Short mmCIF file of all heavy atoms in Angstrom, two decimals:
data_model
loop_
_atom_site.label_atom_id
_atom_site.label_comp_id
_atom_site.label_asym_id
_atom_site.label_seq_id
_atom_site.Cartn_x
_atom_site.Cartn_y
_atom_site.Cartn_z
N ALA A 106 129.18 142.89 109.35
CA ALA A 106 129.13 144.36 109.57
C ALA A 106 129.80 144.74 110.84
O ALA A 106 130.55 145.88 110.92
CB ALA A 106 127.69 144.82 109.48
N ALA A 107 129.44 144.06 111.93
CA ALA A 107 130.20 144.42 113.23
C ALA A 107 131.64 144.26 113.28
O ALA A 107 132.36 145.11 113.82
CB ALA A 107 129.56 143.66 114.40
N ALA A 108 132.09 143.35 112.53
CA ALA A 108 133.61 143.02 112.42
C ALA A 108 134.37 144.25 111.70
O ALA A 108 135.43 144.60 112.13
CB ALA A 108 133.89 141.73 111.70
N LEU A 109 133.67 144.75 110.74
CA LEU A 109 134.30 145.84 109.92
C LEU A 109 134.07 147.22 110.59
O LEU A 109 134.95 148.10 110.36
CB LEU A 109 133.72 145.79 108.44
CG LEU A 109 133.99 144.56 107.77
CD1 LEU A 109 133.29 144.57 106.37
CD2 LEU A 109 135.46 144.27 107.59
N SER A 110 132.86 147.49 111.25
CA SER A 110 132.63 148.77 111.65
C SER A 110 132.56 148.93 113.11
O SER A 110 132.56 150.02 113.68
CB SER A 110 131.21 149.23 111.12
OG SER A 110 131.22 149.24 109.64
N GLY A 111 132.38 147.77 113.95
CA GLY A 111 132.25 147.85 115.36
C GLY A 111 130.88 147.54 115.75
O GLY A 111 129.80 148.04 114.98
N PRO A 112 130.54 146.82 116.66
CA PRO A 112 129.26 146.41 117.07
C PRO A 112 128.35 147.59 117.55
O PRO A 112 127.08 147.37 117.53
CB PRO A 112 129.44 145.35 118.19
CG PRO A 112 130.79 145.75 118.75
CD PRO A 112 131.51 146.20 117.68
N LEU A 113 128.95 148.64 118.01
CA LEU A 113 128.17 149.76 118.54
C LEU A 113 128.13 150.99 117.45
O LEU A 113 127.80 152.05 117.94
CB LEU A 113 128.77 150.27 119.79
CG LEU A 113 128.73 149.18 120.94
CD1 LEU A 113 129.41 149.79 122.27
CD2 LEU A 113 127.36 148.58 121.16
N THR A 114 128.42 150.70 116.20
CA THR A 114 128.55 151.73 115.24
C THR A 114 127.20 151.84 114.49
O THR A 114 126.57 150.84 114.07
CB THR A 114 129.63 151.46 114.20
OG1 THR A 114 130.98 151.43 115.00
CG2 THR A 114 129.71 152.62 113.26
N GLY A 115 126.75 153.13 114.36
CA GLY A 115 125.52 153.37 113.50
C GLY A 115 124.33 152.65 114.04
O GLY A 115 124.01 152.55 115.33
N PRO A 116 123.52 151.97 113.18
CA PRO A 116 122.31 151.18 113.52
C PRO A 116 122.55 149.84 113.99
O PRO A 116 121.65 149.09 114.26
CB PRO A 116 121.47 151.30 112.21
CG PRO A 116 122.53 151.22 111.14
CD PRO A 116 123.78 152.05 111.64
N LEU A 117 123.83 149.32 114.02
CA LEU A 117 124.02 147.95 114.44
C LEU A 117 123.54 147.64 115.74
O LEU A 117 123.03 146.52 115.89
CB LEU A 117 125.56 147.68 114.31
CG LEU A 117 126.24 147.74 112.83
CD1 LEU A 117 127.70 147.33 112.82
CD2 LEU A 117 125.52 146.60 111.96
N PRO A 118 123.69 148.40 116.77
CA PRO A 118 123.17 148.07 118.09
C PRO A 118 121.54 147.90 118.01
O PRO A 118 121.06 146.88 118.61
CB PRO A 118 123.47 149.25 118.99
CG PRO A 118 124.65 149.99 118.41
CD PRO A 118 124.43 149.76 116.88
N ASP A 119 120.89 148.79 117.30
CA ASP A 119 119.44 148.70 117.25
C ASP A 119 119.07 147.38 116.44
O ASP A 119 118.17 146.71 116.80
CB ASP A 119 118.93 149.91 116.62
CG ASP A 119 119.15 151.14 117.45
OD1 ASP A 119 119.09 151.03 118.66
OD2 ASP A 119 119.30 152.30 116.82
N LEU A 120 119.75 147.18 115.34
CA LEU A 120 119.39 146.04 114.53
C LEU A 120 119.80 144.73 115.35
O LEU A 120 118.91 143.86 115.23
CB LEU A 120 120.39 145.98 113.23
CG LEU A 120 120.02 146.88 112.21
CD1 LEU A 120 121.01 146.95 111.10
CD2 LEU A 120 118.57 146.71 111.68
N TYR A 121 120.72 144.78 116.20
CA TYR A 121 121.02 143.49 117.05
C TYR A 121 119.91 143.25 118.00
O TYR A 121 119.31 142.20 118.19
CB TYR A 121 122.34 143.73 117.74
CG TYR A 121 122.55 142.58 118.72
CD1 TYR A 121 123.00 141.35 118.35
CD2 TYR A 121 122.33 142.85 120.12
CE1 TYR A 121 123.23 140.38 119.22
CE2 TYR A 121 122.69 141.87 121.03
CZ TYR A 121 123.11 140.62 120.58
OH TYR A 121 123.20 139.64 121.48
N LEU A 122 119.57 144.40 118.71
CA LEU A 122 118.53 144.24 119.83
C LEU A 122 117.28 143.88 119.20
O LEU A 122 116.48 143.04 119.70
CB LEU A 122 118.37 145.58 120.56
CG LEU A 122 119.63 145.95 121.39
CD1 LEU A 122 119.43 147.35 122.03
CD2 LEU A 122 119.88 144.87 122.60
N MET A 123 116.75 144.47 118.11
CA MET A 123 115.40 144.36 117.60
C MET A 123 115.46 143.03 116.82
O MET A 123 114.52 142.15 116.92
CB MET A 123 114.94 145.47 116.84
CG MET A 123 114.59 146.70 117.50
SD MET A 123 113.92 148.00 116.54
CE MET A 123 115.33 148.52 115.55
N GLY A 124 116.30 142.86 115.84
CA GLY A 124 116.38 141.63 115.01
C GLY A 124 116.74 140.41 115.79
O GLY A 124 116.04 139.37 115.59
N GLY A 125 117.69 140.47 116.70
CA GLY A 125 118.03 139.29 117.48
C GLY A 125 116.89 138.79 118.36
O GLY A 125 116.63 137.63 118.39
#
Side-chain angles (χ1 to χ4, degrees):
L109 298 178
S110 303
L113 302 179
T114 303
L117 290 180
D119 298 327
L120 289 174
Y121 172 78
L122 293 174
M123 292 185 289

